[in-house]
Amino acid sequence: MTLPFDVNTLDLFSGLAGLIFTLMIFSYVIGDNFLFRIALYIFTGVSAGYIASVAWWQVLRPNLVAPLISGSALDKALLVFPLAGILMILMKVLPRLSGISRFAMAFIVGAGAAVTIAGALRGTLIPQVEGTLNSIPRMNTPADLAQNFNMLVNGVAILLGTALTLIYFHFGARTQQDGSVRRMGVIEILAWLGRFFIGVTLGVVFAGVYSAALTALIERISSMINLFGNIP
Amino acid sequence: MDQMIKCPACGEINSAELDYCQKCNTHLRQQDKAFKPGELPNKKNTAELEPILPQWLRDAREQSRQTSQDDSIESVRPARPQQPSQPAASNVDFLAGLQSHASDDTEDETPDWLASITGVSNKAKKAGPEAADVHRVEMGGRDDFARDAENESPSWLADIQSQPKTEKDELTDWFKEASNQADDNSKDWLGQSTAGNIFINEIDEPATSDQAPDWLRQMQADESAKNNPVKAEPSFTANDDGPDWLKGMQPENSSAGEGQSGLSNDDAPDWLTRMGGDQPTSAGAADVMPSFSSNDDLPSWLNSDASQEKSQPQKSNPFSESGVGGNDAPFSLTEDTPDWLKPTPSEQPKTPALRNTSPLKNTSPLWLRETTPGGEAEDANVPAWLSSDAPVINQPPAIDQLPTPAATQNDEAEFGDIPSWLKAAAPQSSIFSEPAVEPEPAFSSDTPDWLSAFKSVEGSQPASPFETETKNDSNLTAPAFTENAFDGGSDALFTEMPDWLSNASEEPLANSAPFAPVANNAETLSAGELPSWVQAMRPVESSSSARSTAASSSDQTLESRGALTGLTGVLPAVPGYTPSSKPKAYSILLQATEEQKSHAFLLEQILSAETEPQPIASFQPLAASRPLRWFIAVTVLAMLITVTALGTQLFTLPALSMAAPSALKGALDVAQTVPEGAPVLVVVDYQPSHAAELEAAAAPMLDQMDLLRHPKLIFISTNEMGSILTQRLLSLPSLKDRYRGEGQFTNLGYLPGGELGIRAFVQNPLQAKPLDVSQNPSQLQPISVVQFVAVIVLTDNANSGRVWIEQATAATSPLPFPAPIVLITSAQAGPMIHPYYVSGQVKGIVNGLYGAAIFEQNNAGRPGTARSYWDAYSLGMLLAMSMLALGGLWNLALGMRDRSTLKEAK
C-alpha cells in the first residue's frame, strides 16, 4: 500500500495532530474544558478501536477462527473449550443468562489466582526474604569491612527499612490506664522510624513519577519544536 | 335461740352443742349444709343417713338386703303373676322402700302410731320375698328418696298422732304457712286429697294381701261386713279395730248421709280438729266441697278427700263401682303400679275387670295420681294399711270405662301450686304425668274435728281445683262424709301421701290458673326449713348455675369502687383482713438534696452537650492556589520550552562512576555480554504516555546491543498497545536504520491472558505465540523461555515487571532463571523494582532518563535522546526541587508566623 504523500508529509501531519492534541490536553491546566474532553474522547475511541483490531487480528483470528477454518480436527476439538468459554462470557450481555458466564470466569479467576500465588511465592516472597537476609555481606576481616562498608550500610538500611516498615503496620495495642488504646512504647518508636522509611520511599516514588512526567513533557515539547523546526 | 338448734327432722329443740337430735337422732348440723333455693344440690349417698333412721326402718332395710339374695326365687312366686307388670322401680323408686316395708317388714314393724290406730299388734314377719325393684330401690341411687321418705313419714305421722297440739314439726309449719299465704295451695291439696280418695275408691278390692298388715286386713274385713254388699271387700271404716277418732268418724259419716262431717277425734291434730269443727254446718256435698277445698290448713291430700267426696255426693257408697264408674274411675291397674297399691291375689277374682285391663300408661303410684273427670285407675298394690278402703268399691271399673289419662297434657299447669322443691323431688315423668284420678269424698259424720275444719273452710272457699269436675258430675250431691266415703276417705287419709311427698295433683290447667305461681311458694320457703331428706330428694340435674349462684351467695359483698362497681361477690373476702386505717399517703415528688440536684444538673448538661451538634472545622482553601498553579505551570513550561528550543547542553550527563547505580552496571553488562546473534526477548509493557521515557531509556541499550552483538530481538507485549509501541520504538532515529529488515527482529505482538499468558509463554513460547503480529510463524523454539539469552522488560509499572520476574523465576524454580533479566523501567517504577535487583532476580535495571543518560555515555559516544532531553530534564528537576524547597520554606515561614501570632495573642 502506497501512501499518497511521503513520510515527511505524514510525519508533519502526525506531528501537527500530536501538537494539537497535546495542547488540548495541556488545556487542562486551566481546568476541565471542552478541548481536554475532546482530546480525551478521541484518545479513548482510538485506543478502543485499536484494541479491538488487535484482539481480532492478534488473538481471535489466529487462535480461534483460523484453526476452526483450516485447522486439524484435533485443533478444532481443542478449540471447543475456549469457544464454550467465549460463549459463556458473552452471555453476560443477556442479564437472564449472565449467570452462565460464571463458569468461564471462575475458571479464569481460579487459574489466575493459582498462577499468581505460585509466582508470588516463588518469584517474590521467598527471593525477597533471601535477598534481605543476604543484604549484609560477610565480613571476616577488617579489610572486608572496609571493602564492603557501603554494602553493609546498604544492607543495614534495607534490613532496618524492611523491619521498621513492618513494625509500622503492626497494630497490636493495649488499653492504657487512661483508657486510651496505644501500642507499646518500643513499638511506637520503631513504628515512627518505619514511618520515616515509608515516607522516604513515597518521596522517591513521587520523584520517579515527576521524573517520568517531566520526561514526557520534555518529549512533547521537543516533538513540537522539532515539528516546527522541520517545517520548511 | 342462738344456743338452740331445731331438729330439721322432728322439730325438736336441741342444744347447740349437740350434733344429733335427742329425739330422732337426726344430725342437727345438716342445716349448715342445707341447700338453698337455686342452689345445686350435692348428690348424696343417703345410705350414710341410715344411722339416723328409726329402728323400724333400719330393720326393714336390713331385711330387704337379706331378702335381696332371693330374687331368683322371687321371680317364680305365685303372687307375682297377679301383679302384672310390676312397675319399674324408677317410677316409684321413692316409694319402694315403703313397699318393701309394707309387704313384710311393716307387719312386724308397724309403728306405734299405726298400732294405736288399728289396735292390731305386730305379727310375725312373713317370710316372703320382695319384689326385685324393691331391692334395687333400697340399694341406693334414686332409691335414696325412698329411704328418706321412709325415714320422714313415720315421724310426721307420729307427730300428728302423738302430739297433735303441742308439737309442730317443720312440715306442719310449712303447711300452715302455705295455707295462710295462699288459698290456692289448699285447693291443690284438696285436689290431691280427692285424687287420693278416688284412687282408693277405684280399687276394686281392698289391699288385703299378704303384704298388708293384719290390722288393716282386719279393718277391711270389718268394713266389708258393714258396708254395702256390693263391696267386695270391707273397707276401712269405723269399726272396733280402728282408732277412736276413726271410729267416731265412721258413724258420723254413715249417719251424715247429707255429707256432713261429724268427724271429731281428740287424737287428731289441731289442724284436723279445726277442719272437723268447721264442717258441721255443711248440709250437702255441694256445700261441703267448697268449704273443704278452701281450707287453708288442710294438706292437699285431705283436700283431695274433700274433692273426691264432692265428686260423688249422691252415691251411697262413694267407692262403689257405679260411683266411680265411667268418668269417675280414673285409676287403673298398670304395670307401673307399685305392688302395695295393687290388690292381693286373694282379691283378684273380685276384680276381673282390673285383672284384664291392659296396663295403662301409669308409671306413678296411683295414690299420687290426680283425678281426672273421666277416668280412674285401680291399683291392687296399695299397702294393706292403705287399701283398707278398697272394699268400699263396689265394682271395678271396666276397662273401657277407664279414663284415658288426660291430665298429662297439662303437667306444668297442674303443678302450678306445687312447691318447686317438691316438684324437683318427685320424678315428674312418673308421678305427674299420670292421669288424674277423680277424687271420692270420704268424709262422714264421724269426721274428727280436724276433718270438720276441712269442711268449714271449704264452705267459705268453694273454688276447689276440682270443683269444675265435680260439678259436671251429676252425683255431686253425695255427702262428703258418708260412712263409706269416710272409709275411703279415712283410707285416703292414711294411705295418701301428703302433698309435700306426692305432689301428684294433676289438676286441670283451668283450675290451677287462679292459684299463685309455684315460685311464690318456693320463695316463701326458707332453705333452712327443708328437711334433710327433701334436700337429698332434690334433683341432681340442677344447673351448674345454681352451684355458682350458691358459691357466690356466700359472699355478697357489694363492690362500690372500681370496675367491679355494682357487682356482688366478685372478689372473695379474705377473712381476717380488714384495713385497720387509711393508707398512708406518699408524695410522688422527688425528694432530693441540693447536692443531688446539682449533680443531676451537671449530668443533664453533660448529656445535652453530647447531643449538641459540633461544628466541623473546615480547611480554608488557599487563596493563592490557582495563581500559584498558573505560576508553576508557566514557569516550568517556559523554562522547558526555552531549554528544549535552544537545545542547550548546560547540564552534563552523569558519568559511570562510583555514584552510578550498580543495577545500571548490570544492564550494561548484559548488553555487552549477550551472545552474538542470540535471541533476546524484549517485552514491551508500557503505556503510550510513558513511551518517551522508556524509548529514551531503551534506545541506548538496544543500540549498544545491536552495535556490539547483533542479537535477534523478539518483541512481545502483554499490552494491546505493545505492538504499535514496538513499531514506534524501532522507528527511533538510533534504531530505525538497524531494525528495518525482516529477520532482524520479530514482533510477536500482543500476548493475551495477562499473568496466565505470561505463564504459558514462559513455559512454551511457541505454543503460546505461534504467530507474530504479521501472522507469520514466530520461529520460536518449542522450549522454555530459557531459549532466550536475555530478557529485557520495558515497563512503566512495577507490577508488570514483577509478573515477568515471578513467572520467569517460577518456571525454573528452584533453580534461578538462567537468562539474565534486565528491566528498563520508568522513573516511577524503578524504586519498586529495585528489590528484585537486590535479591539477584534481576540482573540490571535502567531506570528512566537518568539511567538512559548514563547508558548513553557508555555507548561509544553515539548520540541519544537522553542527551537532548537532559538539560530540560535537569532544569525541570531543579525547578521542581526549587519549588519544593521554596514551598517548604514558605510553609515554614507561615508556620513561624502563626506561632508568633499565637504567642503574641497569648
Side-chain angles (χ1 to χ4, degrees):
Chain A
M1 184 177 63
T2 303
L3 295 176
F5 41 84
D6 56 5
V7 177
N8 294 330
T9 306
L10 180 61
D11 291 341
L12 179 61
F13 283 109
S14 62
L16 289 176
L19 175 64
I20 295 171
F21 280 106
T22 300
L23 293 176
M24 294 172 67
I25 296 299
F26 280 168
S27 67
Y28 187 74
V29 72
I30 60 176
D32 193 3
N33 56 79
F34 175 76
L35 297 177
F36 174 77
R37 289 180 176 274
I38 290 294
L40 188 64
Y41 295 156
I42 291 174
F43 281 125
T44 302
V46 170
S47 299
Y50 180 77
I51 291 173
S53 63
V54 168
W56 171 251
W57 288 105
Q58 297 186 21
V59 179
L60 294 178
R61 185 176 180 276
N63 297 328
L64 181 64
V65 177
L68 286 176
I69 296 174
S70 60
S72 63
L74 179 61
D75 295 338
K76 294 179 181 178
L78 293 176
L79 291 175
V80 172
F81 296 100
L83 186 60
I86 291 171
L87 295 176
M88 288 180 182
I89 294 175
L90 288 177
M91 292 299 104
K92 279 195 168 216
V93 179
L94 304 174
R96 296 178 57 184
L97 302 177
S98 60
I100 298 177
S101 63
R102 295 173 184 172
F103 298 98
M105 295 301 296
F107 173 78
I108 294 172
V109 173
V115 171
T116 301
I117 291 174
L121 287 175
R122 297 177 181 178
T124 300
L125 187 60
I126 296 175
Q128 290 299 316
V129 172
E130 292 177 354
T132 303
L133 295 176
N134 296 328
S135 60
I136 299 176
R138 292 182 179 180
M139 292 174 291
N140 298 325
T141 61
D144 295 338
L145 177 61
Q147 184 179 0
N148 299 323
F149 180 78
N150 294 334
M151 295 181 59
L152 177 63
V153 173
N154 192 19
V156 170
I158 292 173
L159 187 61
L160 287 177
T162 304
L164 294 178
T165 302
L166 293 176
I167 289 173
Y168 175 80
F169 290 102
H170 175 72
F171 297 107
R174 294 180 180 178
T175 304
Q176 303 299 321
Q177 294 180 354
D178 58 352
S180 61
V181 180
R182 293 182 180 178
R183 293 180 291 192
M184 295 177 62
V186 177
I187 299 297
E188 284 288 341
I189 295 173
L190 297 177
W192 186 84
L193 294 176
R195 188 171 57 181
F196 170 77
F197 279 95
I198 292 173
V200 171
T201 304
L202 293 178
V204 171
V205 171
F206 176 74
V209 171
Y210 176 76
S211 174
L214 181 60
T215 305
L217 176 61
I218 294 170
E219 189 272 335
R220 282 293 85 195
I221 294 173
S222 176
S223 65
M224 287 189 295
I225 293 173
N226 294 333
L227 177 62
F228 288 106
N230 294 330
I231 296 175
Chain B
M1 290 301 292
D2 294 338
Q3 303 299 328
M4 305 302 289
I5 296 177
K6 182 181 179 180
C7 177
C10 62
E12 179 69 20
I13 303 301
N14 298 280
S15 175
E17 300 176 356
L18 297 178
D19 294 333
Y20 293 91
C21 178
Q22 294 176 348
K23 182 180 180 180
C24 62
N25 201 26
T26 301
H27 198 281
L28 298 174
R29 304 298 177 186
Q30 292 178 350
Q31 292 295 334
D32 298 338
K33 299 180 292 184
F35 288 91
K36 298 177 180 179
E39 183 178 354
L40 181 66
N42 296 325
K43 188 173 183 179
K44 292 182 177 179
N45 183 9
T46 54
E48 299 175 358
L49 303 176
E50 188 169 6
I52 64 174
L53 293 175
Q55 185 60 34
W56 62 274
L57 266 181
R58 280 183 288 178
D59 295 340
R61 292 167 58 84
E62 183 64 21
Q63 182 63 27
S64 64
R65 293 192 183 93
Q66 293 177 359
T67 57
S68 62
Q69 299 176 354
D70 299 331
D71 290 342
S72 59
I73 301 173
E74 191 178 27
S75 62
V76 295
R77 284 183 63 187
R80 185 173 183 83
Q82 298 172 1
Q83 300 174 357
S85 302
Q86 191 67 277
S90 60
N91 297 331
V92 292
D93 49 1
F94 62 96
L95 296 175
L98 293 176
Q99 178 186 9
S100 63
H101 176 70
S103 61
D104 39 340
D105 294 341
T106 53
E107 294 180 357
D108 297 336
E109 300 295 336
T110 301
D112 295 337
W113 62 276
L114 282 178
S116 62
I117 292 174
T118 60
V120 178
S121 61
N122 293 335
K123 293 181 179 180
K125 183 179 69 176
K126 295 180 180 180
E130 293 182 349
D133 56 348
V134 174
H135 161 67
R136 185 183 66 80
V137 165
E138 292 183 351
M139 288 300 103
R142 292 184 299 179
D143 307 340
D144 295 338
F145 297 135
R147 296 175 195 169
D148 294 334
E150 292 173 7
N151 187 19
E152 297 298 333
S153 298
S155 65
W156 167 75
L157 292 176
D159 292 339
I160 294 174
Q161 180 185 13
S162 62
Q163 296 176 357
K165 295 180 179 179
T166 58
E167 281 191 19
K168 294 192 300 180
D169 58 358
E170 55 186 2
L171 295 174
T172 305
D173 295 337
W174 177 81
F175 290 152
K176 289 181 177 180
E177 291 178 6
S179 61
N180 292 330
Q181 290 176 358
D183 294 340
D184 298 336
N185 294 336
S186 63
K187 296 174 183 178
D188 182 18
W189 295 359
L190 286 174
Q192 292 185 1
S193 175
T194 304
N197 285 333
I198 290 174
F199 148 67
I200 296 172
N201 292 333
E202 289 300 322
I203 297 174
D204 185 44
E205 294 180 3
T208 57
S209 63
D210 295 338
Q211 299 175 352
D214 294 337
W215 62 273
L216 284 177
R217 278 180 287 183
Q218 182 63 32
M219 291 171 66
Q220 292 173 355
D222 295 341
E223 184 65 17
S224 62
K226 188 177 180 179
N227 283 337
N228 195 334
V230 177
K231 298 177 180 177
E233 293 291 338
S235 63
F236 179 71
T237 57
N239 53 19
D240 294 337
D241 294 336
D244 295 337
W245 60 276
L246 284 177
K247 291 177 180 179
M249 289 171 64
Q250 285 187 344
E252 276 188 34
N253 190 15
S254 60
S255 61
E258 298 299 327
Q260 292 181 352
S261 175
L263 182 62
S264 62
N265 194 342
D266 295 337
D267 295 335
D270 291 340
W271 57 277
L272 287 175
T273 305
R274 278 184 278 116
M275 287 193 297
D278 295 338
Q279 183 183 2
T281 56
S282 62
D287 297 334
V288 170
M289 291 307 297
S291 61
F292 203 102
S293 61
S294 61
N295 194 344
D296 295 339
D297 294 336
L298 284 179
S300 62
W301 56 275
L302 286 178
N303 291 333
S304 300
D305 289 342
S307 61
Q308 183 178 8
E309 181 181 8
K310 183 179 179 180
S311 64
Q312 297 177 353
Q314 294 178 355
K315 294 177 182 177
S316 59
N317 186 1
F319 300 107
S320 63
E321 184 177 2
S322 61
V324 297
N327 295 333
D328 295 336
F331 288 152
S332 63
L333 284 174
T334 63
E335 294 178 356
D336 297 335
T337 305
D339 293 340
W340 58 273
L341 291 177
K342 295 177 180 178
T344 58
S346 61
E347 298 168 355
Q348 289 177 2
K350 297 177 182 180
T351 59
L354 287 177
R355 297 298 173 264
N356 297 329
T357 56
S358 61
L360 296 179
K361 191 177 180 180
N362 294 331
T363 57
S364 64
L366 294 175
W367 58 274
L368 288 176
R369 297 173 187 172
E370 202 167 52
T371 58
T372 55
E376 286 181 338
E378 186 177 43
D379 194 345
N381 291 329
V382 178
W385 61 276
L386 290 174
S387 62
S388 60
D389 56 351
V392 302
I393 301 174
N394 295 327
Q395 294 179 356
I399 189 60
D400 54 349
Q401 295 175 349
L402 292 176
T404 301
T408 55
Q409 300 175 354
N410 298 320
D411 287 343
E412 295 299 330
E414 292 169 358
F415 303 128
D417 293 339
I418 299 171
S420 60
W421 59 273
L422 281 179
K423 277 186 176 180
Q428 297 181 6
S429 61
S430 61
I431 296 175
F432 302 109
S433 61
E434 299 305 319
V437 178
E438 185 175 358
E440 285 288 340
F443 289 96
S444 65
S445 59
D446 295 336
T447 303
D449 295 338
W450 56 276
L451 287 177
S452 301
F454 267 105
K455 299 180 66 175
S456 62
V457 177
E458 243 179 358
S460 60
Q461 296 182 1
S464 171
F466 305 98
E467 185 176 6
T468 304
E469 301 172 4
T470 55
K471 285 182 179 179
N472 291 334
D473 193 344
S474 59
N475 297 327
L476 286 176
T477 56
F481 287 95
T482 60
E483 182 177 358
N484 294 333
F486 177 71
D487 292 340
S490 61
D491 287 340
L493 180 63
F494 296 101
T495 56
E496 276 294 328
M497 293 297 288
D499 184 25
W500 51 270
L501 266 183
S502 63
N503 197 12
S505 64
E506 297 179 0
E507 58 190 6
L509 179 61
N511 295 333
S512 62
F515 299 147
V518 178
N520 294 335
N521 291 334
E523 292 173 356
T524 57
L525 294 176
S526 60
E529 293 179 356
L530 296 177
S532 60
W533 58 273
V534 173
Q535 297 175 6
M537 291 171 66
R538 298 186 65 182
V540 182
E541 61 272 11
S542 298
S543 62
S544 59
S545 60
R547 180 178 298 174
S548 61
T549 303
S552 62
S553 62
S554 61
D555 182 11
Q556 297 299 331
T557 303
L558 177 62
E559 301 297 335
S560 60
R561 295 180 179 179
L564 302 177
T565 302
L567 301 178
T568 58
V570 176
L571 298 177
V574 180
Y577 172 74
T578 302
S580 59
S581 61
K582 185 178 181 181
K584 184 179 180 180
Y586 294 96
S587 175
I588 60 174
L589 298 177
L590 179 63
Q591 297 178 356
T593 61
E594 293 297 330
E595 182 179 4
Q596 293 174 341
K597 290 181 179 178
S598 63
H599 291 171
F601 178 72
L602 290 176
L603 178 61
E604 185 178 1
Q605 283 186 334
I606 293 172
L607 295 177
S608 61
E610 291 291 337
T611 57
E612 288 181 355
Q614 297 292 335
I616 300 175
S618 59
F619 294 97
Q620 186 176 5
L622 297 174
S625 60
R626 182 176 291 271
L628 180 61
R629 282 190 312 194
W630 277 101
F631 172 75
I632 294 174
V634 170
T635 302
V636 171
L637 287 176
M639 295 181 70
L640 293 180
I641 293 174
T642 302
V643 172
T644 304
L646 296 176
T648 60
Q649 296 183 351
L650 299 176
F651 298 92
T652 58
L653 295 174
L656 184 61
S657 60
M658 294 294 295
S662 58
L664 184 58
K665 293 180 180 178
L668 185 56
D669 293 339
V670 170
Q672 295 175 353
T673 58
V674 293
E676 181 69 22
V680 175
L681 181 63
V682 180
V683 178
V684 180
D685 276 347
Y686 58 88
Q687 298 294 329
S689 59
H690 292 86
E693 183 184 13
L694 290 176
E695 290 173 356
M701 185 177 181
L702 295 179
D703 182 43
Q704 188 176 17
M705 287 176 59
D706 182 70
L707 182 61
L708 298 176
R709 299 298 177 179
H710 306 287
K712 184 180 181 181
L713 300 179
I714 301 173
F715 295 91
I716 192 171
S717 175
T718 58
N719 186 1
E720 295 82 358
M721 300 293 180
S723 57
I724 193 173
L725 291 175
T726 301
Q727 296 294 335
R728 175 185 170 85
L729 176 63
L730 297 177
S731 63
L732 290 175
S734 59
L735 299 177
K736 62 179 179 182
D737 296 334
R738 294 188 177 90
Y739 298 100
R740 288 185 179 177
E742 299 291 337
Q744 292 182 352
F745 71 97
T746 302
N747 188 4
L748 298 177
Y750 172 66
L751 178 64
E755 198 166 357
L756 291 174
I758 295 173
R759 176 73 176 190
F761 185 82
V762 169
Q763 291 180 346
N764 190 351
L766 179 61
Q767 184 178 2
K769 200 62 178 178
L771 302 175
D772 61 2
V773 68
S774 302
Q775 304 299 319
N776 297 320
S778 60
Q779 301 177 357
L780 298 175
Q781 301 296 323
I783 56 176
S784 175
V785 75
V786 296
Q787 61 182 302
F788 301 105
V789 296
V791 176
I792 300 173
V793 178
L794 282 69
T795 180
D796 61 346
N797 191 344
N799 292 329
S800 178
R802 178 181 58 80
V803 171
W804 278 102
I805 296 171
E806 288 178 351
Q807 297 304 323
T809 305
T812 58
S813 178
L815 298 175
F817 189 70
I821 300 176
V822 177
L823 269 75
I824 301 174
T825 65
S826 171
Q828 63 182 7
M832 310 300 294
I833 300 298
H834 190 75
Y836 291 96
Y837 170 76
V838 175
S839 65
Q841 295 175 272
V842 175
K843 191 63 175 179
I845 298 176
V846 179
N847 188 14
L849 190 60
Y850 180 79
I854 295 174
F855 209 99
E856 283 182 1
Q857 294 180 24
N858 297 289
N859 193 16
R862 293 175 64 84
T865 309
R867 181 58 214 179
S868 61
Y869 295 165
W870 186 250
D871 284 359
Y873 176 80
S874 298
L875 184 62
M877 293 296 292
L878 180 63
L879 185 62
M881 288 187 292
S882 301
M883 288 188 290
L884 288 175
L886 290 176
L889 293 174
W890 179 258
N891 191 19
L892 178 63
L894 292 178
M896 293 177 65
R897 186 189 65 178
D898 293 341
R899 291 191 185 94
S900 61
T901 305
L902 184 61
K903 289 179 180 178
E904 292 176 357
K906 290 181 178 178

